[in-house]
Amino acid sequence: MKPRLGVNIDHVATLRQARGEKYPSLVDAAHKALESGADQLTIHLREDRRHIQDYDVPAVKLVCERYNRPLNLEMGASEEILDIAVATKPEWICLVPEKREERTTEGGLNLKGEGYSRVEAITAKLRTGIPGVKISLFVEADLDIMECCAKLNADAVEIHTGDFAIHYNREEDVSRFLEDFKRCHEYSKQAKFAFHAGHGLDDKNIIPLLELGVFEEYNVGHWIISQSLFTGLEKTVADYCKLIKNYQV
Ligand code: PXP
């Protein structure tokens, strides 16, 4: 199987919100990313609305429907965002931490104690409100956390690759990260949930992950939108797709 690319277009909205203008158009960016080969679009409706706005969610969903590709909505465990998710019915929801207490020290979801109950409650509401929705949990590569994800009946985990990326970019040893990714992937196979990656990835630090061959989906945003300043969104997405489709999972 070839790995899939989810293009996170949040930072097109960051630029738009910086001036409160209508441009750059998120809908145009959504079209261009999908036309250029993205397998899905990812957006994060944050509680502080710093980039994606409420009206963007159904608009991007419509574009995804036109290309018959999934929308992956990232959200924190908040009732208000839940209502918007239920109204829009994305194919995938990725639950992410937004507040301090929802994070582990590294940055993925805290699934201990109250954190577990919070995710369990929101997951149940999402499954009731959006029949057939697939839920992924943005977490650290840790076996205890994998066990919690299995208990929560997650359809996928999205492994937080941000710390790996920082170490790689500083040319530091990343072998312990790769070992953790491999170990957690073994667990995911046996527990039968999908294994995704996201955060901090670019065209260089993704290579060791592609070579490891354990992630079936990558969600990449900041680098793709930044690189688009120089090479355009269509070429950037098309080149990135080409790069990752050279590998197998
Ligand atoms: N996956 C998740 C869960 C995220 O929160 C983000 C950042 O919004 C990304 C992927 C994309 O990360 P980046 O913008 O660093 O590529």
Side-chain angles (χ1 to χ4, degrees), residues 8 10-11 42-44 46 51 72 74 94-97 138 158-159 161-162 197-202 218-224:
N8 181 319
D10 288 349
H11 294 300
T42 296
I43 51 175
H44 183 181
R46 298 188 64 97
H51 38 56
N72 176 32
E74 294 174 1
C94 180
L95 290 175
V96 298
F138 183 60
E158 181 170 321
I159 298 293
T161 49
H199 220 279
L201 298 175
D202 61 25
Y218 296 91
N219 285 297
V220 184
H222 190 255
W223 183 83
I224 286 182

Side-chain angles (χ1 to χ4, degrees), residues 1 13 16 51 55 64 67 81-82 93 114 131 169 192 207 227 232-233 238 247:
M1 182 210 312
R16 181 192 64 193
H51 38 56
Y55 56 81
C64 286
Y67 290 82
I81 307 285
L82 172 86
I93 298 270
E114 233 183 84
N169 296 353
K192 295 195 170 31
I207 303 290
Q227 180 61 27
L233 185 58
Y247 292 83

Side-chain angles (χ1 to χ4, degrees), residues 18 28 51 75 83 94 107-108 170 180 186 204 233-234 242:
D28 286 353
H51 38 56
M75 56 176 274
D83 289 343
C94 180
R170 290 186 194 140
D180 287 344
E186 283 307 313
K204 310 242 167 9
L233 185 58
E234 287 150 297
K242 208 152 92 190

Side-chain angles (χ1 to χ4, degrees), residues 82-119:
L82 172 86
D83 289 343
I84 296 167
V86 167
T88 314
K89 303 203 173 4
E91 287 73 14
W92 278 89
I93 298 270
C94 180
L95 290 175
V96 298
E98 284 212 6
K99 302 193 182 86
R100 214 44 266 150
E101 65 272 19
E102 292 171 343
R103 290 174 192 273
T104 60
T105 39
E106 290 82 7
L109 279 169
N110 175 9
L111 294 180
K112 296 216 172 92
E114 233 183 84
Y116 183 92
S117 318
R118 202 168 22 230
V119 170

Side-chain angles (χ1 to χ4, degrees), residues 20-226:
E21 289 289 352
K22 291 197 172 126
Y23 63 85
S25 158
L26 194 74
V27 164
D28 286 353
H31 275 285
K32 299 236 178 267
L34 292 173
E35 256 165 38
S36 309
D39 296 292
Q40 77 175 4
L41 294 181
T42 296
I43 51 175
H44 183 181
L45 183 63
R46 298 188 64 97
E47 285 173 47
D48 64 9
R49 306 302 199 271
R50 75 171 72 142
H51 38 56
I52 299 296
Q53 304 297 302
D54 295 15
Y55 56 81
D56 289 322
V57 183
V60 174
K61 173 75 163 73
L62 270 178
V63 181
C64 286
E65 280 171 11
R66 185 148 162 210
Y67 290 82
N68 201 17
R69 313 244 174 96
L71 170 65
N72 176 32
L73 178 68
E74 294 174 1
M75 56 176 274
S78 126
E79 293 288 331
E80 182 223 354
I81 307 285
L82 172 86
D83 289 343
I84 296 167
V86 167
T88 314
K89 303 203 173 4
E91 287 73 14
W92 278 89
I93 298 270
C94 180
L95 290 175
V96 298
E98 284 212 6
K99 302 193 182 86
R100 214 44 266 150
E101 65 272 19
E102 292 171 343
R103 290 174 192 273
T104 60
T105 39
E106 290 82 7
L109 279 169
N110 175 9
L111 294 180
K112 296 216 172 92
E114 233 183 84
Y116 183 92
S117 318
R118 202 168 22 230
V119 170
E120 189 177 38
I122 199 98
T123 299
K125 287 180 186 167
L126 283 166
R127 290 200 195 286
T128 306
I130 316 175
V133 71
K134 296 220 163 110
I135 296 180
S136 76
L137 303 176
F138 183 60
V139 291
E140 297 301 320
D142 173 285
L143 283 180
D144 289 341
I145 297 177
M146 293 301 111
E147 216 173 286
C148 293
C149 294
K151 270 203 264 167
L152 286 161
N153 243 328
D155 297 289
V157 290
E158 181 170 321
I159 298 293
H160 173 221
T161 49
D163 291 330
F164 153 82
I166 288 170
H167 283 79
Y168 184 93
N169 296 353
R170 290 186 194 140
E171 297 181 21
E172 290 167 2
D173 181 26
V174 290
S175 48
R176 75 188 154 94
F177 290 99
L178 299 178
E179 281 308 312
D180 287 344
F181 297 159
K182 232 167 38 186
R183 211 172 300 122
C184 289
H185 177 241
E186 283 307 313
Y187 185 97
S188 77
K189 281 199 292 189
Q190 159 224 306
K192 295 195 170 31
F193 53 73
F195 206 62
H196 303 167
H199 220 279
L201 298 175
D202 61 25
D203 61 336
K204 310 242 167 9
N205 60 28
I206 197 171
I207 303 290
L209 303 186
L210 290 165
E211 286 171 350
L212 196 65
V214 299
F215 294 110
E216 56 196 79
E217 178 181 302
Y218 296 91
N219 285 297
V220 184
H222 190 255
W223 183 83
I224 286 182
I225 303 304
S226 304

